[in-house]
Amino acid sequence: MATQWRDAPPTESAWKPVKGMSASERAEEQDKAAGGRKNRYLPGSSGRTVLASIYLRLPPKSRRVYAYLRWPEGRKTRERYVCQVGCDTREENLAQAWRHALSVGLASLQRPKESAQSWASSPAVRSVMRANRSRDTRPEMALRSAVHALGLRYRVDRQPLAGLRRKADLVFAGPRVAVFVDGCFWHGCPEHYRPSTRNSEFWSSKIEGNRNRDAQTDEKLAAAGWTVIRVWEHEDTQQAASRIAQAVLAWRTDPHPHRGAGSLNGRH
């Protein structure tokens, strides 16, 4: 993501705040970099939202600037690594770090997955989050087995497109078919998603952000000639496997079909 300063360490203007900045000026600086104050809020451990900031650090004898997400927790300040940045100015580096933090989800940076239950807003949400895994979920494993039984071979948890920071659950490189297995809660299933009654504004924004990210992923892959298939976790596994097989076999019949027309999913 970031470049390195190879010939000399970065100047202080790339990471250090201007001397004499007031608290309100620093807050405005963070708001601007994050694209608005609303983007800086996190669910705190007490159930209330807290205001996060990006802190830039240049370790001693280093030529790399690192960005950390910081937020208050009681009387303490917590922080977690976000990314390495490589722009010439502090303003640009803050904006770069905020873009990355927002793209991966602030909450995922705030806490390790095993501790997520401490700030989940309700028992129902905690249950969903405990069951949430980045890969090898039960629906994924069932779909892999069904697709494999149809004689199809694929790669698992791979980036379909170089430069696009998205991983598909099943990737068929030759036919350019990317399959995503979407959880009903995290991706806002129109049939089964039920918004949390606590911290509703945060969770509604979170799920809507996931849906927008899914749509952007579909558009970028389709533009690059990929067929995108999205499978809800509640879908019948055999029917989903048949959809995937049809897309792959269509390419085998005609390896040069018209691509980029959309994705094969039942999204509303």
Side-chain angles (χ1 to χ4, degrees):
M1 174 184 291
T3 59
Q4 297 181 28
W5 288 269
R6 297 177 180 177
D7 300 326
T11 62
E12 289 188 350
S13 61
W15 63 278
K16 205 168 186 179
V18 177
K19 283 186 177 182
M21 286 184 72
S22 66
S24 62
E25 288 173 333
R26 290 197 180 193
E28 290 177 4
E29 179 187 49
Q30 293 286 336
D31 290 346
K32 181 179 178 182
R37 177 157 298 194
K38 65 181 185 299
N39 293 330
R40 296 175 54 197
Y41 285 106
L42 285 171
S45 58
S46 64
R48 297 181 178 180
T49 56
V50 296
L51 193 61
S53 299
I54 290 291
Y55 175 74
L56 301 179
R57 178 180 296 154
L58 176 66
K61 299 182 180 180
S62 175
R63 294 184 179 179
R64 300 183 181 184
V65 176
Y66 299 94
Y68 295 82
L69 186 72
R70 279 187 168 184
W71 68 95
E73 193 169 289
R75 296 182 179 181
K76 297 181 180 180
T77 298
R78 304 293 187 185
E79 71 174 35
R80 191 159 299 279
Y81 174 73
V82 176
C83 64
Q84 181 185 333
V85 293
C87 301
D88 292 328
T89 68
R90 173 179 167 83
E91 180 182 11
E92 293 174 311
N93 284 326
L94 285 175
Q96 180 183 0
W98 270 113
R99 283 195 299 271
H100 181 72
L102 293 168
S103 72
V104 300
L106 294 185
S108 66
L109 290 169
Q110 183 198 19
R111 293 256 185 205
K113 286 183 181 178
E114 61 270 17
S115 301
Q117 64 269 24
S118 64
W119 55 265
S121 57
S122 70
V125 173
R126 282 198 292 273
S127 176
V128 171
M129 295 180 72
R130 287 192 187 105
N132 182 52
R133 301 169 64 180
S134 61
R135 58 172 291 180
D136 297 336
T137 63
R138 187 175 299 176
E140 286 177 32
M141 299 295 286
L143 184 62
R144 287 184 210 168
S145 178
V147 170
H148 191 276
L150 294 176
L152 303 181
R153 301 298 178 261
Y154 46 82
R155 296 294 182 92
V156 175
D157 196 40
R158 294 296 181 91
Q159 286 183 223
L161 190 62
L164 180 64
R165 295 174 63 85
R166 309 283 196 278
K167 287 186 177 181
D169 297 304
L170 280 70
V171 174
F172 300 83
R176 289 193 175 187
V177 174
V179 181
F180 297 83
V181 182
D182 293 338
C184 290
F185 177 82
W186 291 105
H187 296 264
C189 167
E191 293 184 38
H192 302 107
Y193 171 65
R194 296 294 181 270
S196 172
T197 56
R198 296 181 60 188
N199 291 337
S200 59
E201 184 177 349
F202 167 78
W203 285 111
S204 295
S205 176
K206 172 69 175 174
I207 301 306
E208 185 61 27
N210 289 346
R211 289 175 65 91
N212 290 338
R213 192 169 187 261
D214 291 343
Q216 291 172 2
T217 299
D218 294 354
E219 291 174 4
K220 290 179 179 180
L221 287 174
W226 284 76
T227 295
V228 179
I229 299 178
R230 289 194 174 269
V231 179
W232 288 114
E233 65 174 330
H234 70 262
E235 283 190 56
D236 181 86
T237 301
Q238 296 301 324
Q239 291 180 4
S242 296
R243 266 202 296 146
I244 295 167
Q246 288 174 9
V248 174
L249 295 176
W251 175 83
R252 291 180 180 178
T253 303
D254 179 7
H256 302 289
H258 175 67
R259 290 281 186 174
S263 51
L264 304 178
N265 60 69
R267 287 295 169 91
H268 292 244

